[in-house]
Amino acid sequence: MNIFRLTGDLSHLAAIIILLLKIWKSRSCAGISGKSQLLFALVFTTRYLDLFTSFISLYNTSMKLIYIACSYATVYLIYMKFKATYDGNHDTFRVESLIFPVGGLSFLVNHDFSPLEILWTFSIYLESVAILPQLFMISKTGEAETITTHYLFFLGLYRALYLVNWIWRYYFEGFFDLIAVVAGVVQTVLYCDFFYLYVTKVLKGKKLSLPA
């Protein structure tokens, strides 16, 4: 494991912890897209089915279990424990417009036409666009809480670091996964406007808003 993958994993974990702490400490999920969190739960569920078939390392298994557990914990907090604070009126992105095309693409473009491989590919494609409901919600409400922007920043940083990880692995290990790289590029591009606004506004103490 190289430093870019490790820091990418830590950034991903930081994003999840920031989100959970935000919801738990404020006793509110206001400004958080439940639809994005449902998509992330679906991403981890379909990606880590290999937990039942293979063992790579204790670190690998632990991180997979943490991601799955945290994603479902977040969904529980949004749709069950703090349901009264969930702003469903603004969380209106049509997720079926993501799931069905991604599902079709995973059947057409994959490394191996087998159930686990198709589901893994589905998770890679879906993760690249799973943040769209959250970004759409921010653009609809006009602004986002600072803690929410920190969550999005670390989530975007995780994807950017994973792109560097793929470059590192190509040059030093001769390994290249076109599906993962293309999906990672798509996801990172989606964060570009956000990164700019984060640096120019949030880091200067201003509230973040996304253009509609």
Side-chain angles (χ1 to χ4, degrees):
M1 179 186 298
N2 61 69
I3 188 63
F4 300 110
R5 179 177 177 180
L6 178 60
T7 52
D9 286 346
L10 293 178
S11 294
H12 195 184
L13 189 59
I16 294 172
I17 292 173
I18 287 171
L19 182 63
L20 284 170
L21 287 177
K22 182 269 181 197
I23 297 174
W24 187 258
K25 293 184 71 174
S26 67
R27 316 297 286 182
S28 170
C29 54
I32 303 299
S33 169
K35 291 186 176 182
S36 268
Q37 297 309 313
L38 282 171
L39 291 180
F40 282 122
L42 182 58
V43 164
F44 297 134
T45 301
T46 53
R47 180 174 303 172
Y48 298 142
L49 290 173
D50 62 348
L51 282 168
F52 299 102
T53 61
S54 61
F55 177 82
I56 299 175
S57 68
L58 180 60
Y59 170 83
N60 183 273
T61 298
S62 298
M63 292 300 283
K64 289 177 179 179
L65 291 174
I66 289 172
Y67 289 151
I68 293 172
C70 287
S71 66
Y72 280 98
T74 304
V75 169
Y76 167 76
L77 293 178
I78 293 174
Y79 286 101
M80 298 292 289
K81 190 169 183 63
F82 302 121
K83 182 179 179 180
T85 66
Y86 170 54
D87 188 7
N89 291 328
H90 287 117
D91 193 15
T92 58
F93 192 96
R94 296 175 63 87
V95 294
E96 60 270 23
S97 66
L98 300 177
I99 293 176
F100 291 126
V102 163
L105 185 61
S106 64
F107 271 94
L108 296 173
V109 183
N110 52 64
H111 295 308
D112 179 49
F113 198 76
S114 63
L116 282 181
E117 188 63 31
I118 290 172
L119 287 171
W120 178 86
T121 306
F122 171 80
S123 77
I124 294 296
Y125 292 151
L126 185 60
E127 187 184 21
S128 69
V129 293
I131 199 61
L132 282 176
Q134 180 67 65
L135 298 178
F136 180 77
M137 187 176 185
I138 293 175
S139 68
K140 198 170 182 180
T141 57
E143 60 182 25
E145 294 181 24
T146 299
I147 193 69
T148 304
T149 62
H150 293 333
Y151 157 71
L152 290 171
F153 172 77
F154 279 102
L155 202 60
L157 182 61
Y158 140 68
R159 289 313 314 174
L161 286 168
Y162 253 64
L163 280 183
V164 182
N165 161 65
W166 291 122
I167 295 172
W168 175 279
R169 294 192 66 183
Y170 175 73
Y171 279 102
F172 293 96
E173 301 176 17
F175 180 83
F176 184 76
D177 189 324
L178 183 61
I179 289 176
V181 171
V182 172
V185 169
V186 170
Q187 188 172 0
T188 305
V189 167
L190 291 178
Y191 283 94
C192 285
D193 282 346
F194 170 80
F195 281 140
Y196 173 76
L197 293 173
Y198 185 86
V199 172
T200 58
K201 290 189 176 183
V202 178
L203 294 184
K204 294 181 179 180
K206 302 176 182 178
K207 277 198 170 184
L208 179 144
S209 60
L210 288 179

